[in-house]
Amino acid sequence: MTQPMHSMPAVDQVSDDTLRRLAGYNLKRAFNVIHADLGEVLAPLDLRMLTFSALTLIADNNGLTQTQLAEALAIKRPNLVVIVDELEGRGLILRNPVPNDRRAHALSATLPGRRLRDRALAAVLAHEARILAVLDPQERLALEQALIRIRGTA
Amino acid sequence: MTQPMHSMPAVDQVSDDTLRRLAGYNLKRAFNVIHADLGEVLAPLDLRMLTFSALTLIADNNGLTQTQLAEALAIKRPNLVVIVDELEGRGLILRNPVPNDRRAHALSATLPGRRLRDRALAAVLAHEARILAVLDPQERLALEQALIRIRGTA
DNA sequence: TATTGTTATACTCTATAACTATA
DNA sequence: TATAGTTATAGAGTATAACAATA
């Protein structure tokens, strides 16, 4: 049964109490804050969180395949193709042939790719330090461990 | 300068070490885990995290306007329109006129809306208990406080 | 002039199904 | 048969610009 529509005054103060008790909601809000700020930090380097993560994993794991990279990033392989296309098109990475398996691509970072990765990482670390300044070292560690624990449940 | 492309063996083990130290990355991964699970929990009720959050805020704040709701959800007003349209179209909420301001809509939950909200909240709390079972109460509290602190920096 | 809700639009992230070429 | 990469496609979340109605 639906109530009749009637005129009502707007509220003065909006209460968040129910949602604030939900870790999922708090996680989303905190992530959005970090993601938006990180986006601004990486934009001058023409990177996003996802392309930065992919470039970093490639630079740190010379020769990994797209399947391995998709797995490491926790995204589906079809979604990785455009990411790899973009990084390759900018000359930051290479799709190398793999001996004895002509289906696979072994990804490697070029020198410009590694240089951009280093610059981006420095910017990201500065961003993290700035955002996490509201937490003391102990809280930071507790946060990291809790997040990795939750991630591990997938 | 770009290296020549050459054949290379695939790696056996992919290292995550650089990204694992970044709160933003851990936050994203943990959120994706929770979001995916929550999606499955809410799907039978034809709700998503965002529609559930909107319905909850409306039920808890009878008469709030769309501007207030968008602010509370931390989304832009244009993105709220389809959410409110959907909830209203399903008879879960009403757009009521506001006395002395014919521009604004005072949102209210109908009885079916409040009932669905209650069922959804019970499902969400069960989901949270299941996901957060990997954390002890102290870790849970530390996580909540850290997330709210980060959110507050926006 | 400013605000509320709205439309139009675009970008990003994510997912599934189905194809190809190899294995 | 199975796997690696790819294409096509769709759903969802987010953002900005600009408009009409109203304040």
Side-chain angles (χ1 to χ4, degrees), chain A residues 55-92:
Chain A
L55 180 58
T56 293
L57 284 168
I58 294 167
D60 286 355
N61 297 276
N62 203 260
L64 90 171
T65 65
Q66 292 186 199
T67 295
Q68 288 174 318
L69 180 54
E71 163 74 16
L73 288 169
I75 66 176
K76 301 297 173 185
R77 273 169 305 171
N79 297 322
L80 182 61
V81 176
V82 286
I83 303 292
V84 171
D85 282 349
E86 179 185 334
L87 296 175
E88 186 188 38
R90 292 170 60 188
L92 302 172

Side-chain angles (χ1 to χ4, degrees), chain B residues 69-117:
Chain B
L69 180 53
E71 163 75 14
L73 288 169
I75 65 176
K76 302 296 175 185
R77 271 168 307 171
N79 298 321
L80 182 61
V81 175
V82 287
I83 303 293
V84 171
D85 283 350
E86 179 184 334
L87 295 175
E88 186 189 38
R90 292 170 60 187
L92 302 172
I93 66 167
L94 296 170
R95 279 174 163 115
N96 305 284
V98 172
N100 304 327
D101 190 344
R102 283 162 47 199
R103 296 171 304 178
H105 295 158
L107 303 174
S108 65
T110 63
L111 182 55
R114 293 196 302 274
R115 282 184 176 148
L116 182 61
R117 201 291 292 245

Side-chain angles (χ1 to χ4, degrees), chain A residues 1-35 38 49-50 52-54 56-57 60-65 68-69 71-74 91 94-99 106-112 114-115 117 121 124-125 127-128 131-132 134-136 138-139 142-154, chain B residues 1-35 38 49-50 52-54 56-57 60-65 68-69 71-74 91 94-99 106-112 114-115 117 121 124-125 127-128 131-132 134-136 138-139 142-154:
Chain A
M1 196 194 76
T2 294
Q3 297 89 339
M5 184 177 70
H6 59 287
S7 178
M8 57 170 55
V11 298
D12 45 323
Q13 180 74 5
V14 177
S15 159
D16 223 27
D17 294 352
T18 306
L19 297 181
R20 241 175 206 282
R21 279 189 212 103
L22 301 176
Y25 186 75
N26 292 325
L27 215 40
K28 177 180 186 171
R29 295 293 295 267
F31 172 68
N32 283 352
V33 168
I34 289 195
H35 190 241
L38 187 61
M49 187 174 191
L50 192 51
F52 163 74
S53 300
T56 293
L57 284 168
D60 286 355
N61 297 276
N62 203 260
L64 90 171
T65 65
Q68 288 174 318
L69 180 54
E71 163 74 16
L73 288 169
L94 296 170
R95 279 175 163 116
N96 306 283
V98 172
L107 304 173
S108 65
T110 63
L111 183 56
R114 292 196 302 273
R115 283 182 175 149
R117 201 287 295 240
L121 182 56
V124 170
L125 290 173
H127 141 88
E128 290 254 333
I131 293 279
L132 297 184
V134 292
L135 305 179
D136 62 42
Q138 181 195 337
E139 290 172 320
L143 174 65
E144 178 184 336
Q145 289 178 336
L147 294 176
I148 290 181
R149 199 90 59 83
I150 291 172
R151 160 184 164 176
T153 65
Chain B
M1 198 194 73
T2 293
Q3 297 89 339
M5 182 177 72
H6 58 286
S7 178
M8 57 170 57
V11 299
D12 45 323
Q13 180 73 5
V14 177
S15 159
D16 222 28
D17 293 352
T18 306
L19 298 182
R20 242 174 206 281
R21 279 188 212 104
L22 301 176
Y25 186 74
N26 292 325
L27 215 40
K28 177 180 187 173
R29 295 291 296 266
F31 172 68
N32 283 352
V33 168
I34 289 195
H35 190 242
L38 187 61
M49 187 174 191
L50 192 51
F52 163 74
S53 300
T56 293
L57 284 168
D60 286 355
N61 297 276
N62 203 259
L64 90 170
T65 66
Q68 289 175 317
L69 180 53
E71 163 75 14
L73 288 169
L94 296 170
R95 279 174 163 115
N96 305 284
V98 172
L107 303 174
S108 65
T110 63
L111 182 55
R114 293 196 302 274
R115 282 184 176 148
R117 201 291 292 245
L121 183 55
V124 170
L125 290 173
H127 141 88
E128 290 252 333
I131 292 279
L132 297 184
V134 293
L135 306 178
D136 62 44
Q138 181 195 337
E139 291 172 321
L143 173 65
E144 178 185 336
Q145 290 179 336
L147 294 176
I148 290 181
R149 199 91 59 82
I150 292 171
R151 161 183 163 176
T153 64

Side-chain angles (χ1 to χ4, degrees), chain B residues 38-48:
Chain B
L38 187 61
E40 292 176 18
V41 164
L42 289 176
L45 303 173
D46 266 306
L47 288 173
R48 306 185 305 280

Side-chain angles (χ1 to χ4, degrees), chain A residues 93-106:
Chain A
I93 66 166
L94 296 170
R95 279 175 163 116
N96 306 283
V98 172
N100 304 326
D101 191 343
R102 282 161 49 198
R103 294 171 305 178
H105 296 157

